[in-house]
Amino acid sequence: MRPFVYRIAVKNSLTGYVLNLGDAGVKIVVEGEEEDIKRFMMELKEKKPPLAKFEKIRTKWGKARGEFDTFTIEKSSSDRILESSYIPPDVAICNNCIQDMLNPNDRHYKYAFTCCADCGPRYTSIIGLPYDRELTTMRDFPLCPHCMEEYMNPMDRRYHAQGICCPICGPKLTLHAKNGELIDCNNPIAEAARLINEGAIVAVKGIGGSHLAALTTDDECVLKLRQRKRDRKYKPFAVMSLSLNEVRKYAEVSQKEEEVLTSFRRPIVLLRKKEDFPLSKWISPGLHNIGVMLPYSGLHILLLQEVTDPAVIMTSGNASGKPIAASNEEIITHLSDLADYFLLHNRVIYQRCDDSVVKIVNGKTKLIRRSRGYVPEPIETPIPYRGKGILAVGPELTVTVTVMKGSRCYASQHIGDVSGDLDMMEFHESVTTHLLKLLNVNPEALACDLHPQFMTTKIAEEYAEKWQVPLVRVQHHHAHAAALKAEHKLDEPIVCIACDGVGYGPDGTIWGGEVLLSDYESSERLGHLAPQLMPGGDQATKYPIRMAASILSRVLSDSELRDILTSKYIDGFKYGEKEVEVVLKMIRDAKGPLSTSTGRVLDAIAALLGICMEKTYQGEPAMRLEAAAAKGKPTLKIEPKISRSDGRYVLDTSQILSEVLQALGKHRVEDLAASAQHAIAIGLADIAVNVAQEENVRTVGFTGGVAYNEAITKTIRKHVEKNGLVFIQHSVIPPGDAGVSIGQAIVAACRLLG
Ligand SMILES: [Zn+2]
Ligand SMILES: [Zn+2]
């Protein structure tokens, strides 16, 4: 920030100084002509570096006293401490650097690693603090005299920028064949692009890991990638386009979406596909949206300039269930079954970091994956915690870890599914160790999930034993609710609707459609969806027609159910009528866990409507249901039935499914999808409003993975606000399980504060 102030002050012929005030910002004193000062102030706002934030600008004018000869950057004693404690996120290449890279007269012309003080890799390259080149992976590339000159010159944009480099002194690209052998070529990027244009799949090493790149308009190409990536039968691929104009050829982009797409964080944004969709239907089959990002490094820009398609598939370069491949060795060994060629470079990626994923829901930015570009920026909470620090290890799927230091939560990048794979557990451990080291924290307490069998619970138990510190076990949905409450800096209790696929309840059943009266320290379950049997456990998640059968068994007789399953849904049973009998028996004998999960009910509706009969990736049936509902209207009016049991409100989901079943054929499938979603949303909102009124609470929140569903969120919001209550939702902390570690840390901190 200060070098930037220095440059525009000098440029506008002003004298004076700029001084760091620590957390309170900077103080700038300038002297000069009024016109110059006004221009300076305008440029201060308009040309500010991406990471600089102006919360407030206070201006005081005075008479010039002629006390300065020059403009200077004043040093303060706290500078070093301040600078050394700040760990910046990775920043997408800035416009100035893009111009340098495209200018034939600039020495960075066509150089893929061009960056400056305002942009480039940060978190992924930092080995330790203070943030100096010697403690980043750029230490392998000593500055050439030219770069050194820029580094030393306060009038230069690259002044004191730790990551700068050029074609003389910086990292270099190489192209490799499937067996890892070096391919001799002058321009590896152009050659890689040529291969992509010919239909090859090329693994591309980037900022925080690698991508698999392929054409988007060629079905054969997309299907080849699906075949090779075994866990990707239908799971959507993210794509990258050179510019917004290209994106608009295949997707709708709202003002808000444009803002997020072009921000320095450059996440993947889920956009609505155009009616007339020119890309392969196999990119995000059965879904109404597509994950899109713009290039965030010079390498991406140079590559995309050479590719003929309006977009390139850029899906994470990882083998099934493994972390994203980041080192050259890893990329070649892990991805050799997936890629035909490798475009690599010799800059080490110290912290692997996946692309972030964002969906705009109800006008708010909802983070599905908070990773590159966001991490490790802290999340401010209102908790007056001043202890030595807390480590929260996350749930089981979509795991992140969080370190709480003071009132700030530092959530890690996306780790993923930590349920047993050794590489994933190692990744979890290395992220934890790195974050604790960077923040200089020796935790005085740990937080984990309530589930005794989670791998993360076992990891936390080990740490607690080793470090001899207390372990706080936090119920899954309480963690979601605490995160939401903290994000809104609330002190008073809230009523929280927490809906997702699965979270372990203290009664040993599976929760996931909960209405909680929630405080930071504790929460009380005052409503939920009707508990439903999951016949055969996980099989009912994989084959959602089983879930539908179980839910309907409460309103249909055994023989009615058998008739419907065999006549209409026999395709949903791999082993035909024999399997139907097995499932019916499991239902009669109550074989399987009980669940109040909203995810399972949405899955069941997707199966009942014939939208999705098998889950091939996490959330698929519910996502396909949402896609169908987005094209429909709630034409079938379903009056939700709510009863009381053990002092709690219970929403009857069997009745909702039964009404949908009876309306089959009388309404469009899309309209029935919308109607069912609407009924569940209204039912949950009704319970929440009742609880809020009884408990004298004025705020109702909505969190959990179901909060990514646009229609459900809007319906709940409307209903809550219609009843004179305040509705809150996430825009900083992910509503899904990536936000759980943050909630765990907050609950633990408050219990310690007691
Ligand atoms: Zn730059
Ligand atoms: Zn250089």
Side-chain angles (χ1 to χ4, degrees), residues 378-386 390 402-411 482-491 520 732-733 741-743 745-747 749-750 753:
I379 292 158
E380 303 285 345
T381 78
I383 317 296
Y385 174 69
R386 295 288 172 269
I390 292 162
T402 291
V403 175
M404 189 156 180
K405 186 181 181 183
S407 56
R408 292 173 166 174
C409 282
Y410 295 83
L484 180 59
K485 191 164 124 90
E487 181 176 332
H488 289 270
K489 308 210 163 35
L490 297 174
D491 282 329
Y520 291 124
V732 176
I733 297 173
S741 66
I742 301 169
I746 289 165
V747 173
C750 290
L753 288 169

Side-chain angles (χ1 to χ4, degrees), residues 23 72 91 119 134 188 224 303 320 324 331 360 388-389 428 457 475 492 516 527 567 580 596 717 722:
D23 270 358
T72 52
V91 180
C119 74
E134 276 316 299
K224 181 167 73 178
L303 183 71
S320 175
I324 188 167
I331 294 172
I360 306 297
K388 282 169 65 192
H428 187 273
T457 302
Q475 199 278 325
E492 72 272 15
L516 308 171
S567 65
V580 172
T596 56
R717 176 189 192 150
K722 202 177 76 192

Side-chain angles (χ1 to χ4, degrees), residues 2 5 17-22 24-30 71-72 74:
R2 285 170 304 160
V5 175
Y17 65 88
V18 53
L19 173 72
N20 224 340
L21 299 176
V26 292
K27 178 180 177 184
I28 305 169
V29 176
V30 289
F71 191 88
T72 52
E74 297 282 297

Side-chain angles (χ1 to χ4, degrees), residues 429-475:
E429 188 183 350
S430 81
V431 168
T432 304
T433 313
H434 185 62
L435 206 54
L436 287 172
K437 187 183 113 188
L438 284 185
L439 294 165
N440 196 17
V441 165
N442 290 310
E444 61 168 339
L446 284 152
C448 70
D449 197 90
L450 204 58
H451 200 304
Q453 301 303 330
F454 275 0
M455 208 45 89
T456 49
T457 302
K458 297 190 171 166
I459 292 171
E461 283 166 351
E462 263 173 47
Y463 285 144
E465 173 77 30
K466 195 165 83 186
W467 300 335
Q468 289 293 302
V469 295
L471 173 59
V472 179
R473 295 168 201 267
V474 182
Q475 199 278 325

